[in-house]
Structures are given as structure tokens and as C-alpha cells.
Amino acid sequence: MTERTRLSAADLDLVVIGAGFSGLAMLHRARRSGLTTRVFEAGGDVGGAWYWNRYPGARTDSESHYYCLSFSKELVDEWSWSERYASQPEVRRYLEFVADRFDLRRDITFDSRVTSLVYDEQAAVWTVTTDSGEQVRSRFVVTAIGLLTKPNVPDFPGLADFAGELLITSRWPDGADLAGKRVGVVGTGSTGVQVVPIAAETARSVTVFQRTPNYVVPAHNRALDAADVADLKRRYLEIRDKARAHSFAMPFEPGHGLTADFTAEERNRIYEEGWATGGFHFLFETFDDITVDEEANESAAEFIRSKIREIVEDPETAELLCPKGYPYGGKRPPVGHHYYEAFNRDTVELVDVSRRGTPIESVTPAGLRTADGREHALDVLVLATGFDAITGGMDEIDVRGRNGRTLREEWAAGPTGFLGFGVHGFPNLLAISGPGSPFANIPVCLEKNVEWIGDLLDHVDREGIDSVEATEEAAADWGRRVHDAAFATLLPRGESVNTWFLGANIEGKPFSVGVWFGGANVYFDVCDEVAAQGYPGWELTSRRD
Ligand code: NA7
């Protein structure tokens, strides 16, 4: 950044919070613009979500060749994925490789959690304070903290008195061993679905406490051979462009059309193909109306139920595992690795802790007590209970914008913001994957966010601008569009089953559509257009004006 625009009151041009996928990409982009940048990371190394979520079975639900960064051809050429869906250790190694390849660590301070951000309007500078007491003043702050940062730990009575080992999946300690133990798993979201089959391989018993069953489609993971890897590297630009043109940012083919246009037999053949291909291909490449049409959704949902009944030998268990009463996609659907098959083991038991079943009453020193008075004896209690998503991470930081207004106040009724990037009243604070940005394949989305922010900061530099702020009107208008886009689909019906992208999984959190469901591709176009038109919806001010 040129001296002309750099204010003497600031130590830095940019502070980035978080050193996961987005923080690393942002730091690299900021260096290209010549910005003096520091990254603060709460973890002990790079990785973000992939640093913390070390539970057994953790891996990507998207395929590795598009769950990665594409901004550098060298990165693509020099890194080879070993599996179709990368395991957590491999993703972590990848991000370490990214950090080393671009010598990023020298600008990152680890074990350093940002606790407050205070804006000085006169100087147009943020004071950033960390839990070690360090303070820096920076012109811009970019939050790269991800959507799923703050663990949700239910307040079960007696939890503190549990005499066994309590393990929270997103804070999994190295070396925790489930072999030979009686393991209880609370939660059957994407995380629980990954933990259960792996735990079942070695534990003495696994008791799965399920409140809401999910629609789990098998991943069909496999090793990638040299020919696969060479092919993916050769096609990487084509893959990236295809992902950017897709509504969920995945390099997928369109579906076959509308469900009702096909006979029952033809539908079944298409579902079978989708099931055999695996993962999100089932949702996005079978029919195009699954997320918007009730009958189409129910048809796909019933196919999944038929598969559960086919796989799970005990009919009662199969029935309990069948999701009912909410649409497929109303909760983010997990991708399974022999999940339903795990319930055919004698050592795995499913306990229905929904209101219709036997809800969890308390944790006792010896295990977990359900409403029928039964005490499930446990050596290890695993909480796969999700996150205070989207806003939880920012809520932990004391953010004070113009006139001392806090972000907690601003977001009391639900998060606001323009394009997910900026909140009115909080100038020069920009977010990657902020509220109102797409919920889709994250690396593709965050890379577009990083490019956009990088271009905005270049524009600021060129034009001698000191302060960048989303206008109230633009934020309100985008909020309406986010709401309407979601309500054009069946997805808001997930509220009845505690869906996190609606804030419904945290007691007392206001209902709010926290993510853009109008298509990642549409969002990218809107962002490009805003940049091309000189940033309408943003107030760009120079103190020299
Ligand atoms: P999720 O998808 O929010 O799942 C959390 C699970 O924990 C879910 O099954 C919850 O049941 C269950 N849960 C939460 N609180 C309780 C209590 N108090 N009692 C019983 N069960 C409870 O989190 P994940 O970590 O699995 O996945 C998060 C995202 O990571 C995922 O969507 C992907 O984007 C990657 P519920 O459904 O609320 O009845």
C-alpha cells in the first residue's frame, strides 16, 4: 500500500484473523498487493477447522480435487491427493504445505486468540487485542474464522461429574484412544456419522444417542492412483471453472431435469446411479428440483429410506434411522463411510433420544441416563454436538465499530451484512465466508471472497480511500435477498429439526437465514458486478475528501 494512503496511526495495513484455508489464501493475496499483514491464529499451527477437528474418521465431505485452493498452478502441480475424500490429517498436511510453499508462517502468530477489535473512527484504524495482551493497530481487519468455529457443548445436568473421558469432537486431543472402551456418541450430524463406524471398529461397544436421523448417502471413498491424479492436475482449470459455475460450487453435471417428468422405474435407475456415484452427486446430479419441490424431495427421501431399510438388518433400528417429517437438505446432509452398516454390528446400539423416544436426562459419573430411567454405562462420552455456527466465532470477540456500537448488538436479532463481506457501522472490517455468503463448497467460495477483498483493497489504495463501509440500504437489501432465496427452497423447513444454518440448533438464538442459497454462481456474479461498477452499496471515504 502506498504511503499516500497509509495512515501513520496504523502499525499494519491488514490483520487477518485465522490461519485456515481462508486466512492462508488471504495472506498470500495481501502480500501480492504489498500490504503489511499479520495473521493471528488461536491454534498452535495452520489448519483452522482442520487443525481442531481431529476426531477419528474426520474427512472432507466434498472430493479432494475441488476441496482445495486453485489460485496457484504450482500448488496444484506440486500437491497430490491420495484419496477421493481427503482425511483430516491429509488436509492438515496440505495446509502446512501451502504455508511452507509460500513462506507464510513468518507473518502468522500462533496460539494467539483475538479478543477484541475496537475501531477508531478519527484515524480509521482498528485496535486488535489478543489473549496474550498484544495490541496492534491496523487499517483493515479481515476475519477468516470459518462458519463452524465455536463448539456447541450441551448443558447436560451432571456433565461435569462424568468420571470417564469426555471428548468433544472439535477439540479432540491427540492420543485419545477408543479401543476396548464403552463409547457413547451424542450427535448424528456429519461429525457423528463419521465417528461412529470408526469407533465401532475397535471399541468394546458404541451407543449412539440420536435425536434427529439424517439422510446419509455413502461417499464411496477410494485411493486415487497415478492416472487419476495426473488427469485431475491436467484438468484443474476446467474443474475450477465448472465449480464456479455451479450453484453449490462443485464441478458437477446438471441433474436429469424435473422428477415428475420421469417414470418410477426411470427415477429409480437415476437414484441408483447417484447412490453409486456417492456423496453430493446424489443430491445435485439426480434431479434438479429436489431442494425446491416437495414431491420431488419426498421421492428422493423415500429412496434413501429404502436404502437404509435394505442395509440395516434390524428393522426397528432401520426405522429409527429413517429421517421423516423434514425435507432432504433441510439439514446439511452428511456423507457416510459405512455408517448404516455399522448398526449391523452386535456392539453398536442406537438409542432414540428424540422427544418421541427417551431424551437424555442427565450425565452421571458412570454414563448417561435417559428418560426411561436407563443408565447407559460409558467409559468415554463423545460429544459430536455441532457448533454455534456462523455468528458464534465473532460473538466471542468484543467488536466495537463506529460510535462504540458492538457487533453483538448489531447481530442481536440475527446477523446482517452486505454480500457477507461487511457490516454497516463497522468500516474496514471485512469477512471471508461471513453471514449471507453462500453455503456451498467452501474452498471455491472463499477463494472468490479472497480475490474480491484483494481487489477492493487494491482499489482503496489506488483511489486514496481511508474507509470502506457497507451502506445500511445495501445490507438491508442483501438481507432480504438472502431470506427470499432461502424461502424459494424447502431448506428453511429445517428449522423444525434444529438446522444450524438457520440458527435453530442453539437455544435462544434468533431464527435467521445465515447463508445465501440463491446459488454460489449467482453470488459470484453479483460480487463481480459490484466490483466492476466501482462498489455500489459501499461507502468509500477519504479523509482528504
Ligand atoms: P451438526 O450437524 O449440527 O450435528 C449436531 C448433532 O448433535 C445433531 O445430531 C444434533 O441433534 C445433536 N445434538 C446437539 N445437541 C444435542 C442435545 N442436547 N441432545 C442430543 N443431541 C444433540 O454438527 P456436526 O459437527 O455434525 O456438523 C457440522 C457441520 O460440519 C456439517 O453440517 C458440515 O457442514 C460440516 P439434532 O439434529 O439437533 O436433533
Side-chain angles (χ1 to χ4, degrees):
M1 190 156 280
T2 60
E3 285 306 318
R4 182 169 58 80
T5 55
R6 184 179 295 156
L7 299 180
S8 57
D11 311 314
L12 295 161
D13 295 319
L14 176 63
V15 160
V16 177
I17 307 177
F21 266 98
S22 26
L24 295 179
M26 190 69 238
L27 172 57
H28 180 265
R29 176 65 184 79
R31 278 198 192 155
R32 247 182 49 208
S33 292
L35 304 180
T36 54
T37 306
R38 265 186 77 185
V39 180
F40 291 104
E41 165 56 56
D45 204 340
V46 298
W50 298 100
Y51 173 86
W52 295 105
N53 285 272
R54 299 177 202 180
Y55 59 85
R59 61 174 72 243
T60 61
D61 281 350
S62 296
E63 292 148 285
S64 46
H65 67 276
Y66 56 92
Y67 194 91
C68 57
L69 298 168
S70 65
F71 64 78
S72 147
K73 177 150 182 357
E74 289 75 34
L75 264 191
V76 176
D77 285 344
E78 292 169 26
W79 180 268
S80 301
W81 294 106
S82 71
E83 291 180 271
R84 182 177 173 196
Y85 300 87
S87 68
Q88 177 270 336
E90 188 168 19
V91 181
R92 216 182 133 190
R93 279 198 303 280
Y94 170 71
L95 292 173
E96 286 169 1
F97 167 76
V98 173
D100 293 337
R101 180 66 179 73
F102 298 111
D103 187 23
L104 298 177
R105 288 175 203 273
R106 68 183 152 87
D107 290 323
I108 307 175
T109 307
F110 294 105
D111 296 310
S112 199
R113 183 177 289 280
V114 170
T115 53
S116 86
L117 298 173
V118 178
Y119 190 62
D120 174 345
E121 197 177 345
Q122 278 305 307
V125 164
W126 284 95
T127 299
V128 180
T129 308
T130 73
D131 57 357
S132 64
E134 185 176 1
Q135 276 196 341
V136 293
R137 285 168 66 80
S138 176
R139 295 194 55 221
F140 288 90
V141 174
V142 170
T143 59
I145 63 174
L147 296 167
L148 302 160
T149 305
K150 183 182 174 192
N152 168 42
V153 180
D155 191 14
F156 294 126
L159 188 61
D161 302 325
F162 181 56
E165 201 175 354
L166 177 67
L167 297 173
I168 296 162
T169 47
S170 55
R171 293 293 178 271
W172 198 268
D174 285 336
D177 185 12
L178 304 179
K181 299 189 179 149
R182 296 166 303 174
V183 177
V185 179
V186 181
T188 52
S190 300
T191 300
V193 160
Q194 290 187 335
V195 170
V196 167
I198 302 293
E201 283 173 11
T202 59
R204 183 168 136 202
S205 64
V206 178
T207 311
V208 182
F209 298 94
Q210 171 191 271
R211 197 164 63 179
T212 310
N214 261 304
Y215 296 95
V216 184
V217 170
H220 299 304
N221 191 27
R222 64 178 177 84
L224 297 176
D225 63 23
D228 295 324
V229 170
D231 175 55
L232 292 169
K233 284 183 201 260
R234 192 177 45 76
R235 293 193 297 112
Y236 102 90
L237 282 178
E238 174 197 323
I239 291 167
R240 190 194 62 180
D241 291 347
K242 203 167 173 183
R244 286 185 173 187
H246 185 263
S247 52
F248 281 84
M250 297 181 190
F252 284 4
E253 299 303 324
H256 292 257
L258 303 181
T259 309
D261 292 343
F262 292 80
T263 64
E265 201 179 317
E266 285 166 341
R267 278 185 210 173
N268 218 49
R269 181 182 53 75
I270 290 168
Y271 291 139
E272 287 288 359
E273 270 171 25
W275 186 267
T277 310
F280 294 125
H281 291 272
F282 182 86
L283 178 56
F284 298 126
E285 288 187 334
T286 52
F287 295 102
D288 296 317
D289 51 356
I290 292 179
T291 58
V292 293
D293 182 87
E294 214 167 313
E295 278 177 30
N297 192 285
E298 179 52 25
S299 167
E302 190 50 33
F303 177 84
I304 297 175
R305 288 183 210 115
S306 75
K307 285 293 182 189
I308 298 172
R309 292 177 184 126
E310 204 176 290
I311 296 168
V312 179
E313 288 158 11
D314 173 44
E316 218 174 292
T317 305
E319 229 31 59
L320 272 183
L321 286 166
C322 284
K324 288 166 202 150
Y326 75 94
Y328 171 40
K331 285 174 95 64
R332 152 67 155 80
V335 174
H337 300 262
H338 314 290
Y339 176 63
Y340 292 124
E341 289 81 351
F343 292 92
N344 292 334
R345 289 178 185 260
D346 294 339
T347 50
V348 177
E349 185 190 358
L350 182 68
V351 178
D352 174 11
V353 296
S354 73
R355 272 198 299 267
R356 287 177 310 280
T358 55
I360 295 170
E361 206 175 74
S362 62
V363 176
T364 66
L368 201 148
R369 194 193 307 277
T370 42
D372 52 355
R374 188 170 160 205
E375 190 178 44
H376 303 266
L378 301 173
D379 304 310
V380 180
L381 176 57
V382 175
L383 296 183
T385 43
F387 299 86
D388 179 355
I390 304 173
T391 54
M394 285 309 286
D395 268 354
E396 291 194 306
I397 304 173
D398 183 14
V399 185
R400 289 166 193 270
R402 267 196 300 108
N403 306 319
R405 181 164 168 80
T406 68
L407 192 62
R408 288 178 199 138
E409 285 162 354
E410 171 67 26
W411 284 0
T416 59
F418 182 35
L419 296 173
F421 289 119
V423 182
H424 178 66
F426 297 81
N428 295 2
L429 176 65
L430 298 162
I432 301 169
S433 305
S437 63
F439 182 47
N441 175 42
I442 296 287
V444 170
C445 297
L446 73 86
E447 261 193 320
K448 277 292 285 183
N449 275 191
V450 165
E451 283 171 18
W452 192 92
I453 292 173
D455 291 349
L456 172 66
L457 296 180
D458 286 348
H459 177 80
V460 158
D461 184 34
R462 274 195 308 271
E463 304 295 320
I465 290 159
D466 296 315
S467 146
V468 174
E469 182 180 347
T471 67
E472 200 167 2
E473 301 71 43
D477 179 55
W478 185 248
R480 276 190 295 275
R481 287 184 68 180
V482 167
H483 183 273
D484 293 350
F487 275 85
T489 73
L490 303 168
L491 306 180
R493 300 194 193 171
E495 188 188 8
S496 63
V497 281
N498 319 320
T499 289
W500 62 255
F501 52 69
L502 304 170
N505 65 327
I506 302 293
E507 226 181 290
K509 201 167 170 174
F511 172 88
S512 161
V513 180
V515 286
W516 167 253
F517 277 121
N521 49 346
V522 173
Y523 168 87
F524 299 153
D525 288 346
V526 174
C527 293
D528 287 347
E529 208 174 296
V530 167
Q533 289 177 4
Y535 302 97
W538 295 86
E539 207 169 314
L540 308 178
T541 340
S542 166
R543 292 200 311 168
R544 294 162 205 85
D545 284 350

